[in-house]
Amino acid sequence: MSDAVPPCVLIISGNDPSGGAGMTADLQATSALGAHPAPVITSLTVQDTSNAYRVDAVDPGLVAEQARAVLADLPVAAIKIGLLADAGIGEAVAEVLEEHPTPPVVIDPVLVDAGGAQLAERSLETVLMERLFPLATLLTPNALELRRLGGETGDRDSRARRLLATGADWVLAKGADEDTPGVENALYGPGEFVEVSRWRRLPGDYHGSGCTLASAITALLASGAAVQRAVAEGQKYTYECLMQAYRPGRGQFVPRRFHETHEAEDA
Ligand code: PLP
């Protein structure tokens, strides 16, 4: 027996039965980085490593009860929110978070999967912008989600600033889904803060890279890292996972979330 309790991370996300994305990605990434994950499932999806075929949302009351049980018992040091699936679940999660002085909250605003399938109801977008983003420490939209939520017009900067205007503290605008030779991620923060990091574009398509990154950052925040450092280290960890990715099925590659660490190169 040991008295040493790892930092606890409450994870609110959906299940992907292929084990590539969703809760499995979240559990593996947080565990690999030394945190104790507390998983609250919002939805069951039917998918393989190529496509998502169906999303069934859990009853919002049941999602809220799971989260309340965890928050009442465990010393939650950070919260990661992934797929919420519908507006009712979004509202229920917002209510729970509003009841507590919350630790850092990372929201990965999952709307579609890597193959383009719709994973969340369009009405969730309003709940994200109005109820959940104001409670967030960090948002991690990909380019498509940033366009959907931050507006079709404008550029990355103006869209990210629109998300910050909801009350979120930081936005990490991810660029892996842009048609660019390299991958550029930009961290926007208080005032005029912008920090761009560039990564070599690795060959192949990946399932669960966004979940891995958001969960890694959350685990690092839970262990006391400041946002900028957690974002930098989380990206390095995810890049290593992708460098060592494997292909368990017939579709996309899956990040190897338990791996030997090397010195990850920035592009
Ligand atoms: N959450 C769930 C439950 C999913 O099924 C998916 C994608 O399939 C995602 C999140 C987002 O995955 P990614 O990390 O590839 O953006």
Side-chain angles (χ1 to χ4, degrees):
M1 239 186 336
S2 160
D3 286 340
V5 176
C8 295
V9 175
L10 169 62
I11 302 168
I12 302 175
S13 70
N15 188 57
D16 164 8
S18 79
M23 188 58 90
T24 302
D26 300 331
L27 296 175
Q28 291 184 341
T30 50
S31 302
L33 292 175
H36 169 85
V40 170
I41 294 274
T42 59
S43 47
L44 300 179
T45 72
V46 177
Q47 65 183 304
D48 51 30
T49 54
S50 301
N51 286 302
Y53 307 101
R54 174 172 170 174
V55 181
D56 269 30
V58 169
D59 172 67
L62 184 53
V63 173
E65 255 186 75
Q66 293 179 72
R68 283 196 183 99
V70 172
L71 286 163
D73 185 25
L74 276 58
V76 172
I79 300 174
K80 190 257 165 167
I81 297 177
L83 180 61
L84 291 170
D86 68 26
I89 295 178
E91 298 274 6
V93 170
E95 266 163 43
V96 173
L97 298 190
E98 283 160 1
E99 289 163 10
H100 295 264
T102 49
V105 177
V106 175
I107 302 181
D108 185 15
V110 180
L111 301 175
V112 292
D113 79 345
Q118 190 80 19
L119 293 173
E121 268 183 15
R122 288 306 285 251
S123 54
L124 174 64
E125 294 174 21
T126 313
V127 180
L128 285 169
M129 292 291 285
E130 292 179 3
R131 299 280 312 270
L132 283 158
F133 290 178
L135 306 170
T137 307
L138 173 70
L139 310 178
T140 62
N142 60 25
L144 184 146
E145 290 152 358
L146 190 64
R147 263 186 217 104
R148 282 259 202 102
L149 297 163
E152 290 296 330
T153 56
D155 57 10
R156 185 180 68 195
D157 287 22
S158 60
R159 292 183 184 117
R161 297 275 162 220
R162 240 173 270 168
L163 296 199
L164 287 174
T166 62
D169 299 328
W170 301 80
V171 173
L172 178 64
K174 300 177 297 182
D177 59 331
E178 295 275 41
D179 192 12
T180 49
V183 173
E184 207 177 274
N185 297 333
L187 178 64
Y188 294 84
E192 294 299 302
F193 183 92
V194 190
E195 186 172 67
V196 175
S197 42
R198 295 183 178 83
W199 302 88
R200 193 158 62 81
R201 184 173 287 283
L202 299 169
D205 293 322
Y206 302 94
H207 197 72
S209 56
C211 306
T212 303
L213 176 59
S215 284
I217 295 170
T218 313
L220 292 159
L221 291 174
S223 52
V227 172
Q228 275 175 264
R229 192 166 78 75
V231 167
E233 296 290 315
Q235 287 181 91
K236 274 191 203 151
Y237 164 78
T238 304
Y239 187 78
E240 292 250 349
C241 293
L242 298 178
M243 283 211 300
Q244 300 177 55
Y246 55 96
R247 192 169 179 235
R250 300 194 188 125
Q252 296 146 349
F253 283 79
V254 167
R256 192 179 302 271
R257 287 171 285 250
F258 291 100
H259 60 248
E260 304 270 325
T261 45
H262 303 97
E263 221 18 73
E265 348 108 58
D266 235 324

